Each structure stands twice: as structure tokens, then as C-alpha cells.
Amino acid sequence: MDYDNFVTRYVAVWNEPDPAARRAMIRELWAGDCVQYTESAEYHGLEEMEERVTSAHDRLVRDGGHVFVSAGDATGHHDALRFTCHMLPAGGGDIAWRGAIFLTLGADGLIMTDHQFGDPPPPAAKAAVEAFQGGGEGAGPRQAGAR
């Protein structure tokens, strides 16, 4: 597997402005029964993933003026992949959010589980991190541990 290409596609989903293109990209990356875990919420299946990505995109990219980029450190083996993702101001500037992403993939190469670990942000970025992790208005996340 080309891990760098996979990460490029993953990060592109969060930056994609077109809802139809974003929906297609989600279905090309995540399995139908996928689960994403953040520190405070869980998202189950493609519908919740689409709501999650759309909500994050709208708040952080479209309205917040940020862009997500890979740190270029993708590594993986067997059915697992890890990498670092940064959220930066689109016009340039300091990292507003940094997260370690750990994915498990199915035999078909689609994401089965997606774990996001946010590193401590600079104080000025706290609100953006909370929004990205599912706090506030949005997709109706499940609380961590809830099913």
C-alpha cells in the first residue's frame, strides 16, 4: 500500500468544499461499518462520518479559514496506519491543531477504525480543537464509550 497517497486522500476529505465530491471521497476511504473515535465522541457508519466531516469542514475550513495538511510521517504495517495531521490557518501561520491519527484497515483497504488523538494545542487554538473533537453544535456525536 502507498501510505503517503492514502494519507493525502484522507486529509483531502476534510478540506473538500464540494459536498458531493466529499461524500464520494468518504465512501472511497471508509468502510460502511466504520467507527471513528475522538477523545470525546464516536461516529458509526458512513452517514455519521459524512455528518462529522461536513460539520468539521464547515466550522474549521469554510468558516474558520483553516486547512488540514499531513505532516508527512505516514507509517504502517499489516492492517494499521498512523500519521500526524496539522490544522493551519489557510493564509499561513502557526499550527492551530495537531493530531495523531491511527487507522485500522479492512482486507479491502477501507478504514474500519479511525482514532484521532489531539496533542495539546497552543492556548489560542483551544476553541478550534474543541470544535474538531465534536464539541458544540454539529453532527450529534456519541459520547466516548456510548453505543
Side-chain angles (χ1 to χ4, degrees):
M1 168 180 264
D2 181 344
Y3 297 120
D4 290 326
N5 178 269
F6 193 91
V7 170
T8 296
R9 292 172 44 223
Y10 178 97
V11 172
V13 169
W14 302 90
N15 294 317
E16 177 56 52
D18 179 76
R22 189 170 46 241
R23 180 178 305 111
M25 294 165 75
I26 289 167
R27 281 158 175 67
E28 292 171 2
L29 287 171
W30 281 273
D33 59 348
C34 64
V35 181
Q36 183 185 63
Y37 302 97
T38 68
E39 293 155 350
S40 61
E42 296 179 12
Y43 304 86
H44 294 259
L46 292 173
E47 185 175 312
E48 286 187 18
M49 276 308 304
E50 184 175 348
E51 291 171 2
R52 158 83 167 127
V53 173
T54 297
S55 177
H57 174 272
D58 290 353
R59 284 186 323 237
L60 303 172
V61 177
R62 184 192 70 197
D63 300 340
H66 292 92
V67 63
F68 291 98
V69 299
S70 167
D73 62 351
T75 186
H77 60 80
H78 296 85
D79 64 348
L81 171 61
R82 72 177 167 103
F83 59 96
T84 306
C85 185
H86 295 156
M87 183 176 74
L88 306 167
D94 293 334
I95 294 169
W97 178 84
R98 175 180 307 134
I101 312 297
F102 180 80
L103 308 175
T104 59
L105 308 176
D108 56 5
L110 296 175
I111 299 168
M112 297 298 301
T113 62
D114 178 342
H115 300 259
Q116 292 189 358
F117 299 85
D119 291 339
K126 185 176 180 187
V129 171
E130 289 172 352
F132 186 70
Q133 292 175 340
E137 308 265 334
R142 299 177 188 197
Q143 294 301 312
R147 293 224 98 222

